[in-house]
Each structure stands twice: as structure tokens, then as C-alpha cells.
């Protein structure tokens, strides 16, 4: 399908691409390296422009003052970075503001809209245009005869879901996807519904982001989460930040980095690209800094490994620490190792046996660079290692995260202030989703307790994750897809395969706030069920309800919407789950309607069913909420050995074959996953362009590619199959040779469905094997 017109502006597109994701560019593509500090006035200017364009100048700022407020207010629906421990009232960021404003848009998508545009027509629109139509207002059902969505009552919509689910020959013929924004209460009811129906088919977005972290931390420490909190960030001597684009994707981390620099802590960034957070910032809520343009350093050392080279770097650092310990026994924390760990000797031998040449070759760093990082680590009493997708979306994501733990264990950087592993989670409640039961591989203990508390007989076989669900839909094994938020069609790998999978379903149900690709790529029957956003007032019989969320550092707190709902016909997510459950489970003894009258009742059940949620209703109302206990933080290890377990995985070969490049797909500054705000990527100096590939200039020359010249990209999957993206623009960038980078979701067409990690089942989105040639 080619797209040649921007429906909102009527402008002609220059180069039709299929399908266009972002808006039609406002001008010619530009690339001018960015030399300003992160956040600060650049961000303030961008926010103002955004508020004006979204016509939200009144509501926007008012809402922002209520965001991340201790004691009331709503949780920023953006990223999962924790709120300031001091209960700071203005801990906000440019991208959080964009995110909230995008939800609060005055634009609406009503029945007239759907009457005016067929689904085939809408499929031809860009993803930007689909979302930019505004908020969905009433339930809609696909009418195949007219190829339009038409209104349907909630009652009939639920009845359609119910009868379709009841008609399946097995409960495993349905899959229930969760995007990480869903609040804890809706999450709990959603997994309860799936399990009462009889399936563990609970794919979620975390299958694509931090599955590797969860599995690695579980194996090493017996808990699937990080062990540190913001207070620890405030007292660490050394912070290692690996594979995160913090200035865009967790901007409030900049505040922590700037504070760290001011107190003299060392900050090491490890990323093939030197991202904006690895330079300096103007602390956004520090008004004197803003007024005086005062910048603060946010980095003391930048290392640019090759894509996938992190594990070799970490092992090199460990090797250096071990070498140092020969002359300086204090380089290791022997007491900690002896008392709390197992597997040390094997790991030591492995490190010693790995030659420096191999570590240099695999990491893409010199021995001197690795030693520099090791020195920072050795000299710090308290170290935190933090990471995001740059480490997880790889074949060896689990081994790499376990290598982080290995390194931390050597110096006892665990279970004490200012030290430990700290994954940066993605969606605002993706961690809470897992805690509250979204897990296709639930433990026996979890299921036993759920069975006892809720009086159901949950299935014991493991269910399908994201990739497994797509495969099963394609094979006709899954016939019903329910999406609780998100944009599965566009977020998942191998776009054509995912489209075909969704189209082969009997029924697709999308619970959404905005129109997106997953509504126009649908099953034979399809429902759009519009829900309240997090900023909106949720009125139920028992009064106005709040929901709870859990941030990256295991803090659980309440979020209370205060805006009038976008439409009187919206239902809350818990109410939609209950509506579907009632229709699908007519004989259920679960009090679905009673739960919805007052979410305290859901929380009372959760307090009994979930570990760490004792006294939930009281504790969640404390000013800053409460922190879920991390056994590993107390040096209690729920591992088979009862100790923290060193791993001794072989170093993978990550060096691209001659002629090929390793491609990492990532986000631009102006996007939220599949939601694109503009074609700009400010910190990387890009304007008016998304169909680009960042390359090392020498790699470009070798291939006869001009600066900003056209290129064709081919990926080769593990099974040898090839995928293509033509007409991209090559940007000469400061990135190691053999590496390339570009934007998701456009580049998902290059990610083969079968190319997932055998360790985590995560799609390999940061190490796609490609060749690039000059294009027409
Ligand atoms: N504004 C905004 N905020 C977001 C999101 C958003 O889309 N927009 N998405 C949210 C979600 S769901 C998530 S999961 C997070 C994602 O947050 P990030 O993990 O920051 O997401 P990416 O944009 O994929 O960027 C990955 C970073 O890893 C680097 N990288 C790539 N390959 C490697 C490698 O092999 N090694 C190392 N060390 N680095 C590598 C890239 O250069 C890039 O800086 O952000 C969340 N926050
Ligand atoms: N190639 C490549 N692909 C990737 C990644 C990558 O790095 N590279 N990253 C992966 C990662 S980490 C993730 S998390 C996924 C993202 O996958 P998803 O979470 O599935 O996608 P989003 O783009 O965040 O979803 C946006 C949609 O969510 C809906 N929405 C927004 N707010 C709400 C709400 O409050 N309630 C409900 N019900 N719906 C709401 C809106 O309709 C909006 O269109 O993408 C993955 N895909
Ligand atoms: Mo994510």
C-alpha cells in the first residue's frame, strides 16, 4: 500500500514508503550534529511547540502540575522511572509532557469518522495520521459487508467476545496481550479471567523488552527485578549506564546523573552511540540552572563497544579486577563471595582463561579502555549497573545481564546502600504487570495461591509469549486475539508475518485509547473497545477510583485521574475486563461486577493472592506508596543453592561477518514506541527523516555510499530468509565500524519472526544481520 498524501495537511509525500509510519516531513531531511546539553531549554521549547500544536495550552500545564504528585495526582503514563524520593512536585520531563498531552488531545474519533472512512482506506493512512485523529469515543465493530467499523453497544460487544470465546474448542485458542500501561487492578482481573477460562496465553510487551533481565536476575539472584531504589542512586560512587538512551527514554534519569556528578560520583556510559545523556544536561526542574543556562556533566567516561560487545567488556572488567586482586586482595570482597555466592572459582578460571585479545576483539574496545572502566569500578565503594534494551534484545541477553551480576558480586555490590543491579524498565507499569500475574510461565506457587484465593483451577501448562502467539495465529492454533492496550501489529517483529497472523484470527479485540494500526489489521470479526486514559476520572458505584502502578524500582503507588473522560461512553480497563469475563464465563463465581464497584475490593483479593501485597489498601495510600520487598536486597537468595549464583557462560561471537553489519533498531526522541510525534530526533541532529540508517563513515565509503545518500538494506535471518527495506538514507555517524542503527517500528520488517533469543525467547531487535548497498 503506498501512501502519497498526509491526510491532516494534504501535503504530497516526497518518497512514498510502505507503510509510512511518521507524518509527512515538514521540509527536507537534515542532519546537523547536536552540541547542546540534554533537556533544558531545547526541551522547554519543544514542549511549548507541542502544547500549541495539540491545542492543550490550558489543560496540558494544569495536568502536568498534578503528575507524579505524592498523595494524589496521576502517575505519568510515560516511562517507568521512579518519582523523586523527596516527593518533588515538578519531577517532569519533556517526553512525559508530550505523552500526557497526546492522551488529553481535544480531537475525537466518533462514529461519523468511521462512517466516512472505510478500513481499507484507513489502512493506507500513516500511523501518525491514525493516532492523530484523537481519542476513540465508543465501541465499534467491524462490518465486513461495508468494510467499515460501525457502532455497537457495550453489551453486544461483550456478548460477541463471550460467545466467540465459549465457542472455541480449547481455551488455548485465545491469547491475551498486555501493553505495559495497564494498571495493577485491571492486570490482576485480566490474568484471572484468562486463567479461569483455562489458559496461560498471556503474551506481553515485556516479552520484547526485559524478558532477558527477568530471567537473568531470577537465575542469578532469585528475584526477577532490580534491587536498588532512587536513594541508592543518590549514594552510589560509580554508575554504569549500558544500552539506554536516557535523555529520550528515561529523561528523569538525567536529574540523578547530574546530581551524581555534582557529588563527585563517576558516571560511565556504555553505548555504540554517544547519546545525549552521555554529555551534559540542564536539570529541567532546577529553575536557577534553567535561567542561567547552567549545564551539569552527566558523564565521566564514554565507551563505544560494538553492538553486542557488552558481555566482553563486562568480562574484561571482571578479569581486570581479578588480576588486580593478586597484588591487592581488597580488590575483591572475599567475605561477601564466601558467605553469599556460589560458582566463584569456575567464573574466576573462565575470566583468567579468556585472552585479552579476544575480549578486545569481541567488545570492539581496546584493553586500555576496558581497564579504564575497570579502574572506576575498583575505586568505587558502591557501584550500580543500570541497563535497558541495548543489552536485552540480543541472542545472548540473559548471559550478558548475568555477567553484570557476576561483576557486581566480585566486590559485594549487592544488598547494601548505593550498590546493585538496576534495569531501566520501559512502559510505566510493565513491571507491575508481571508482579500481578501477566506471565506466560507462572510458577506453581503463584498458581496455587491464586487457586486458593480466587477459587479457580488455573491451568498448569505454560502459555504463549509474543512470538509464540504470532506463530500460533499463523498456524491456526490461536483464533482470538485480545490486546489490552498497545499496538501489537506494529510493535511485534516481522511486520508482514504479524499482519498475516492477526488477519487469520476469527476475532481480534483491541482495548485502546487511540486509533492505530492494530485496528486496521484485524481478524474476520473485530472490536475496538475504547477505554479511559490514566489522566481521566474513573467513576464507579463506590465513587471515584484510583489504580496502582509499580515503577522500575518496585515502588507501588496510587494513580488518580482528574480529567473529565474523553467521552461519556468510555469504560475503565477493569470494567472492560469484567464485562468480557462475565460474558465469557457465565457460571463464574468470581464477583466481577462487585469488584468494579470499588477497586479496594480487587486490592483486598490481591493482598491475599500476591506475594508482597499484604495490607495493600493501607500501604498503597501512604504518601509515597510502598516498596515491594526484594529478597535479594536483604541478601536472601531464592535460588536453588540459596546463594547468589555466578554464571560461567562462554563468550558469544558477535563480530559481524565480512560485508555484513549488525543493526540495532531503536527509538527516535520524538516517538513513544509505535506512537510517532514528529520526524525529528533532536539529540541525534536529525530533522524531517525517519527512514534512515546511522552508519560509520568508513563503512559507507567502502560501499560507495554518499553522505545522506540513498541505500537499500537487506537482512538475513537465521534460517537464511531475506527481508528488505529500500530507499533509506545513510547518515554518517559516530558509531563503531560494522555497526548500524535505525528506527523501530519501521525496521521491524527486517526482524524475522524466527529470530528470537534461545535464552529469553525475546525477538533479536538489536542485532539484526544486514547488508547495505547504494540505492537508486
Ligand atoms: N520517550 C520515550 N520514552 C520511552 C519509550 C519511547 O518510545 N519514547 N519507550 C519505553 C519503553 S517500552 C522502553 S522498553 C524503554 C526503551 O529504552 P531504551 O533501551 O533506551 O530504548 P532504545 O531506543 O531501543 O535504545 C536503546 C539504546 O541502546 C543502544 N544500543 C543498541 N545496541 C546496543 C548494544 O549492543 N550495546 C549497548 N550497550 N547499547 C546498545 C542504542 O544506541 C540506544 O541508545 O524506553 C521507555 N521510554
Ligand atoms: N524493532 C523493534 N521493535 C520493538 C522494539 C525495539 O526496540 N525494536 N521495542 C519493543 C518494546 S520494548 C515494546 S514495549 C513494544 C511496544 O509495544 P506496545 O506496548 O504494544 O505499543 P505502544 O506503541 O506502546 O502502544 C501504543 C498504543 O497504546 C494505546 N494506549 C495508550 N494509552 C493507553 C491506555 O491507557 N490504555 C489502553 N488500553 N491503551 C492505551 C493507544 O491506542 C496507542 O496507539 O515494542 C517492541 N518493538
Ligand atoms: Mo518496552
Amino acid at each position: 500500500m503506498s501512501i502519497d498524501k498526509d491526510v491532516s495537511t494534504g501535503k504530497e509525500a516526497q518518497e512514498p514508503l510502505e507503510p509510512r509510519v511518521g507524518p509527512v516531513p515538514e521540509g527536507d531531511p537534515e542532519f546537523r550534529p547536536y552540541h547542546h546539553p540534554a533537556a533544558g531549554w531545547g526541551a522547554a521549547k519543544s514542549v511549548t511547540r507541542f502544547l500549541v500544536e495539540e491545542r492543550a495550552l490550558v489543560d496540558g500545564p494544569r495536568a502536568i502540575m498534578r503528575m507524579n504528585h505524592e498523595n494524589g495526582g496521576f502517575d505519568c503514563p510515560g516511562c517507568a522511572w521512579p518519582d523523586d524520593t523527596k516527593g518533588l512536585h515538578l519531577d517532569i520531563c519533556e517526553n512525559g509532557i508530550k505523552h500526557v498531552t497526546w492522551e488529553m488531545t481535544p480531537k475525537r474519533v466518533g462514529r461519523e469518522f468511521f462512517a466516512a472512512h472505510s478500513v481499507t482506506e484507513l489502512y493506507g493512512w500513516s500511523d501518525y495520521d491514525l493516532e492523530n485523529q484523537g481519542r476513540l469515543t465508543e465501541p465499534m465493530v467491524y462490518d465486513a459487508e461495508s468494510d467499515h467499523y460501525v457502532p455497537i453497544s457495550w453489551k453486544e460487544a461483550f456478548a460477541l467476545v463471550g460467545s466467540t470465546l465459549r465457542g472455541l474448542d480449547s481455551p488455548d485458542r485465545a491469547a491475551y496481550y498486555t501493553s505495559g500501561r495497564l494498571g495493577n487492578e485491571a492486570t490482576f482481573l485480566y490474568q484471572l479471567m484468562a486463567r479461569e477460562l483455562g489458559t496461560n496465553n498471556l503474551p506481553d510487551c515485556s516479552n520484547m523488552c526485559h524478558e532477558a533481565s527477568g530471567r537473568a536476575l531470577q537465575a542469578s539472584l532469585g528475584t526477577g527485578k532490580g534491587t536498588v531504589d532512587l536513594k541508592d542512586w543518590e549514594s552510589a560512587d560509580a554508575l554504569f549506564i549500558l544500552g539506554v538512551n536516557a535523555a529520550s527514554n528515561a529523561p528523569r534519569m538525567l536529574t540523578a546523573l547530574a546530581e551524581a556528578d555534582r557529588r563527585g560520583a563517576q558516571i560511565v556510559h556504555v553505548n555504540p552511540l554517544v547519546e545525549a545523556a552521555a554529555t551534559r544536561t540542564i536539570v529541567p526542574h532546577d529553575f536557577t540552572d534553567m535561567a542561567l543556562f547552567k549545564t551539569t556533566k552527566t558523564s565521566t567516561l564514554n565507551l563505544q563497544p560494538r553492538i553486542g560487545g557488552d558481555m566482553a567488556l563486562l568480562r574484561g572488567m571482571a578479569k581486570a579486577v581479578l588480576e588486580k586482586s593478586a597484588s591487592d586482595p581488597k580488590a575483591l570482597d572475599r567475605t561477601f563471595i564466601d558467605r553469599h555466592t556460589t560458582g566463584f572459582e569456575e567464573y574466576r578460571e573462565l575470566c583468567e582463561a579468556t585472552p585479552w585479545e579476544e575480549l578486545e576483539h569481541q567488545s570492539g574496545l581496546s584493553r586500555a579502555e576496558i581497564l579504564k572502566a575497570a579502574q572506576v569500578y575498583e575505586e568505587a565503594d558502591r557501584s550500580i549497573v543500570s541497563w535497558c534494551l541495548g543489552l536485552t534484545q540480543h541472542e545472548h541477553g540473559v548471559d550478558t545481564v548475568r555477567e553484570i551480576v557476576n561483576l557486581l558480586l566480585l566486590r559485594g555490590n549487592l544488598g547494601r546502600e548505593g550498590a546493585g543491579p538496576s534495569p531501566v524498565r520501559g512502559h510505566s507499569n510493565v513491571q507491575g504487570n508481571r508482579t500481578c500475574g501477566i506471565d506466560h510461565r507462572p510458577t506453581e506457587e503463584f498458581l496455587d495461591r491464586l487457586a486458593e484465593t480466587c477459587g479457580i483451577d488455573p491451568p498448569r501448562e505454560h502459555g504463549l509469549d509474543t512470538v509464540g502467539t504470532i506463530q500460533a495465529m499463523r498456524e491456526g492454533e490461536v483464533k482470538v486475539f485480545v490486546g489490552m492496550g498497545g499496538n501489537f501489529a506494529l510493535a511485534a517483529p516481522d511486520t508482514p508475518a504479524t499482519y498475516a497472523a492477526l488477519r487469520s484470527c476469527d476475532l481480534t479485540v483491541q482495548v485502546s485509547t487511540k486509533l492505530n494500526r492494530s485496528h486496521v489489521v484485524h481478524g474476520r470479526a473485530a472490536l475496538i473497545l475504547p477505554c479511559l486514559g490514566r489522566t481521566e476520572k474513573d467513576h464507579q458505584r463506590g465513587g471515584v477510583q484510583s489504580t496502582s502502578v509499580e515503577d522500575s524500582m518496585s515502588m507501588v503507588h496510587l494513580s488518580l485521574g482528574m480529567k473529565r473522560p474523553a467521552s461519556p461512553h468510555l469504560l475503565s480497563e477493569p470494567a472492560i475486563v469484567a464485562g468480557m469475563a462475565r460474558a465469557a464465563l457465565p457460571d463464574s463465581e468470581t464477583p466481577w461486577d462487585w469488584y468494579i464497584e470499588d477497586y479496594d475490593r480487587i486490592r483486598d483479593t490481591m493482598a491475599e493472592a500476591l506475594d508482597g501485597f499484604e495490607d495493600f489498601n493501607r500501604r498503597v495510600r501512604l504518601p509515597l506508596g510502598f516498596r515491594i520487598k526484594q529478597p535479594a536486597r536483604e541478601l536472601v537468595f531464592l535460588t536453588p543453592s540459596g546463594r547468589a549464583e555466578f554464571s560461567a557462560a562462554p563468550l558469544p561471537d558477535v563480530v559481524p561477518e565480512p560485508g555484513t553489519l549488525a543493526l540495532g533498531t531503536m527509538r527516535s526522541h520524538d516517538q513513544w514506541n509505535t506512537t510517532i510525534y514528529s520526524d525529528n530526533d533532536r539529540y541525534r541532529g536529525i530533522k524531517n527523516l525517519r527512514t534512515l540508517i546511522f552508519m560509520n563513515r568508513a563503512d559507507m565509503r567502502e560501499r560507495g555510499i554518499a553522505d545522506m545518500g540513498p541505500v537499500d538494506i537487506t537482512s538475513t535471518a537465521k534460517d537464511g530468509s531475506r527481508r528488505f527495506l529500500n530507499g533509506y538514507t545513510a547518515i554518517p555517524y559516530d558509531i563503531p565500524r560494522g555497526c548500524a542503527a535505525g528506527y523501530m517500528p519501521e525496521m521491524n520488517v527486517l526482524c524475522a519472526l524466527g529470530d528470537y533469543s534461545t535464552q529469553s525467547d525475546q525477538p533479536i531487535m538489536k542485532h539484526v544481520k544486514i547488508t547495505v548497498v547504494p540505492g537508486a
Side-chain angles (χ1 to χ4, degrees):
M1 179 72 51
S2 82
I3 297 111
D4 49 22
K5 238 181 178 187
D6 182 314
V7 292
S8 55
T9 62
K11 271 186 290 189
E12 294 290 321
Q14 297 153 340
E15 283 244 35
L17 268 160
E18 352 169 28
R20 172 181 288 287
V21 173
V24 170
E26 291 174 3
D28 290 334
E30 277 177 38
F31 169 54
R32 264 190 239 133
Y34 185 84
H35 296 297
H36 308 286
W41 286 108
K45 210 170 94 192
S46 151
V47 162
T48 313
R49 194 181 140 191
F50 190 79
L51 290 174
V52 171
E53 279 171 8
E54 282 298 306
R55 291 180 274 146
L57 265 177
V58 180
D59 278 349
R62 200 187 286 155
I64 290 150
M65 302 307 275
R66 298 291 303 163
M67 190 157 81
N68 297 340
H69 222 283
E70 93 238 42
N71 239 341
F74 60 92
D75 184 65
C76 178
C79 74
W81 188 257
D83 299 336
D84 198 292
T85 48
K86 299 171 203 88
L88 189 88
H89 290 190
L90 248 180
D91 197 13
I92 52 174
C93 77
E94 172 194 358
N95 279 342
I97 292 171
K98 281 193 222 155
H99 211 68
V100 168
T101 315
W102 192 249
E103 178 174 303
M104 299 197 319
T105 175
K107 300 175 209 163
R108 296 289 178 270
V109 187
R111 56 176 73 188
E112 309 74 26
F113 173 86
F114 287 109
H117 306 284
S118 72
V119 174
T120 304
E121 181 201 336
L122 292 174
Y123 178 81
W125 288 22
S126 70
D127 298 281
Y128 172 83
D129 281 326
L130 291 177
E131 279 222 20
N132 198 29
Q133 299 313 308
R135 291 287 301 277
L136 295 159
T137 52
E138 60 181 321
M140 305 297 293
V141 65
Y142 180 64
D143 173 42
E145 212 153 292
S146 64
D147 186 36
H148 281 258
Y149 273 103
V150 297
I152 184 174
S153 69
W154 279 106
K155 199 169 161 211
E156 285 172 298
F158 291 144
L160 175 60
V161 178
S163 63
T164 312
L165 289 177
R166 278 182 278 118
L168 297 174
D169 62 16
S170 152
D172 291 327
R173 297 279 172 269
Y176 304 87
Y177 176 70
T178 311
S179 158
R181 209 169 310 197
L182 196 65
N184 287 332
E185 292 73 10
T187 299
F188 183 77
L189 294 186
Y190 191 48
Q191 61 84 35
L192 180 60
M193 172 182 81
R195 296 194 163 113
E196 192 169 334
L197 281 161
T199 186
N200 283 312
N201 287 348
L202 289 161
D204 73 340
C205 70
S206 136
N207 300 147
M208 297 185 268
C209 32
H210 272 292
E211 197 67 47
S213 307
R215 297 216 191 158
L217 293 171
Q218 189 67 42
S220 293
L221 303 175
T223 168
K225 304 175 186 178
T227 64
V228 310
D229 59 21
L230 258 197
K231 281 203 199 97
D232 294 316
W233 275 72
E234 285 158 10
S235 57
D237 305 315
L239 294 165
F240 295 84
I241 318 287
L242 290 78
V244 194
N245 176 16
S248 298
N249 295 335
R252 287 178 293 137
M253 186 201 279
L254 290 173
T255 310
L257 297 182
E259 277 170 12
D261 184 72
R262 283 173 185 171
R263 69 169 187 271
Q266 298 294 305
I267 308 164
V268 180
H269 291 267
V270 177
N271 197 314
L273 278 64
V274 178
E275 302 282 26
T279 54
R280 63 215 159 96
T281 185
I282 296 182
V283 179
H285 62 243
D286 195 324
F287 296 109
T288 0
D289 283 10
M290 286 286 275
L292 299 174
F293 289 91
K294 186 164 164 255
T295 65
T296 310
K297 261 199 325 188
T298 48
S299 170
T300 54
L301 176 64
N302 288 338
L303 295 177
Q304 291 176 266
R306 69 167 83 249
I307 284 185
D310 303 84
M311 186 167 165
L313 163 67
L314 292 158
R315 186 151 297 172
M317 290 169 69
K319 185 178 173 75
V321 170
L322 290 164
E323 283 178 358
K324 178 93 187 284
S325 71
S327 58
D328 175 8
K330 282 214 279 310
L332 289 179
D333 187 339
R334 279 306 320 207
T335 322
F336 180 90
I337 292 171
D338 294 342
R339 195 174 292 164
H340 298 295
T341 75
T342 152
F344 170 67
E345 282 310 325
E346 196 188 341
Y347 181 64
R348 177 219 284 273
E349 280 163 26
L350 182 66
C351 290
E352 284 171 357
T354 313
W356 277 109
E357 297 70 40
E358 193 188 340
L359 294 168
E360 289 183 301
H361 185 52
Q362 288 299 331
S363 66
L365 297 167
S366 68
R367 182 172 174 177
E369 287 173 306
I370 302 174
L371 290 178
K372 247 194 218 166
Q375 188 184 356
V376 173
Y377 182 62
E378 283 158 18
E379 287 174 359
D381 279 337
R382 305 163 173 188
S383 290
I384 284 177
V385 182
S386 182
W387 69 94
C388 199
L389 303 185
L391 264 66
T392 58
Q393 292 178 327
H394 287 272
E395 179 73 62
H396 301 93
V398 174
D399 286 345
T400 304
V401 174
R402 292 201 68 179
E403 198 72 16
I404 289 177
V405 178
N406 289 342
L407 183 66
L408 288 169
L409 294 179
L410 289 180
R411 292 181 45 75
N413 277 305
L414 192 79
R416 58 188 173 87
E417 204 185 317
S422 184
V424 180
R425 303 302 304 260
H427 268 301
S428 54
N429 197 39
V430 60
Q431 187 157 314
N433 293 156
R434 196 46 75 86
T435 309
C436 298
I438 303 300
D439 192 346
H440 61 289
R441 305 155 72 237
T443 62
E444 285 298 314
E445 301 83 74
F446 173 86
L447 293 177
D448 288 344
R449 220 164 130 178
L450 187 71
E452 196 184 321
T453 311
C454 299
I456 65 164
D457 183 15
R460 303 284 161 162
E461 320 75 69
H462 288 174
L464 297 168
D465 64 358
T466 293
V467 170
T469 295
I470 300 168
Q471 285 168 335
M473 289 193 284
R474 289 180 83 194
E475 287 155 14
E477 298 284 315
V478 163
K479 307 300 287 175
V480 178
F481 177 89
V482 181
M484 269 314 253
N487 186 358
F488 193 80
L490 210 57
D494 211 337
T495 314
T498 299
Y499 283 13
L502 287 165
R503 285 180 173 139
S504 70
C505 285
D506 289 342
L507 172 67
T508 49
V509 183
Q510 301 288 347
V511 179
S512 314
T513 50
K514 288 207 167 182
L515 192 62
N516 67 38
R517 188 65 48 189
S518 301
H519 304 124
V520 295
V521 176
H522 57 81
R524 265 181 291 285
L527 284 168
I528 299 176
L529 303 182
C531 65
L532 293 173
R534 200 179 279 170
T535 54
E536 290 165 337
K537 244 188 198 148
D538 181 357
H539 265 291
Q540 302 294 346
R541 187 171 285 185
V544 177
Q545 304 297 314
S546 345
T547 54
S548 64
V549 290
E550 175 183 342
D551 66 30
S552 255
M553 301 187 191
S554 306
M555 286 296 302
V556 181
H557 58 271
L558 279 182
S559 173
L560 177 68
M562 39 37 118
K563 261 212 89 189
R564 190 151 50 103
S567 146
H569 308 298
L570 302 181
L571 290 186
S572 74
E573 286 165 321
I576 293 173
V577 176
M580 293 193 291
R582 237 186 296 108
L585 294 157
D587 303 325
S588 170
E589 285 179 13
T590 304
W592 299 103
D593 293 321
W594 183 78
Y595 275 145
I596 301 311
E597 288 174 4
D598 183 348
Y599 299 170
D600 275 2
R601 297 170 181 169
I602 312 176
R603 282 186 284 268
D604 280 337
T605 302
M606 293 169 77
E608 277 178 59
L610 302 174
D611 209 21
F613 281 76
E614 305 75 33
D615 205 7
F616 190 10
N617 268 312
R618 184 189 62 80
R619 288 196 297 153
V620 81
R621 287 184 167 83
L622 297 173
L624 295 170
F626 67 97
R627 185 148 199 269
I628 299 179
K629 260 216 173 108
Q630 290 300 316
R633 170 71 200 223
E634 319 300 325
L635 299 174
V636 173
F637 301 106
L638 307 174
T639 53
S641 63
R643 288 164 166 254
E645 302 195 358
F646 276 97
S647 65
L651 209 57
D653 183 3
V654 297
V655 181
E657 290 160 24
T660 70
L661 301 173
L663 169 76
T665 61
M666 59 186 187
R667 291 143 182 80
S668 79
H669 183 66
D670 261 6
Q671 86 183 72
W672 178 276
N673 299 333
T674 67
T675 299
I676 312 299
Y677 304 120
S678 85
D679 293 302
N680 305 334
D681 191 359
R682 191 170 75 246
Y683 295 142
R684 297 192 187 110
I686 298 292
K687 259 185 134 168
N688 303 321
L689 186 64
R690 285 190 55 83
T691 51
L692 60 71
I693 180 163
F694 295 104
M695 290 175 70
N696 182 294
R697 190 173 257 129
D699 286 331
M700 289 173 61
R701 286 230 181 88
E702 205 176 75
R703 289 163 174 77
I705 298 165
D707 284 9
M708 304 209 49
V711 291
D712 294 342
I713 309 168
T714 304
S715 69
T716 308
K718 286 180 187 175
D719 66 5
S721 60
R722 297 192 302 159
R723 286 162 181 74
F724 311 91
L725 269 181
N726 296 337
Y728 266 52
T729 300
I731 306 291
Y733 207 77
D734 180 10
I735 185 172
R737 288 207 66 176
C739 301
Y743 301 135
M744 62 84 75
E746 285 90 335
M747 284 188 161
N748 268 329
V749 300
L750 296 174
C751 303
L753 189 61
D755 282 9
Y756 52 88
S757 159
T758 50
Q759 307 187 335
S760 64
D761 304 319
Q762 250 187 267
I764 300 171
M765 292 163 159
K766 292 280 188 281
H767 201 290
V768 184
K769 181 173 153 186
I770 58 163
T771 54
V772 185
V773 297

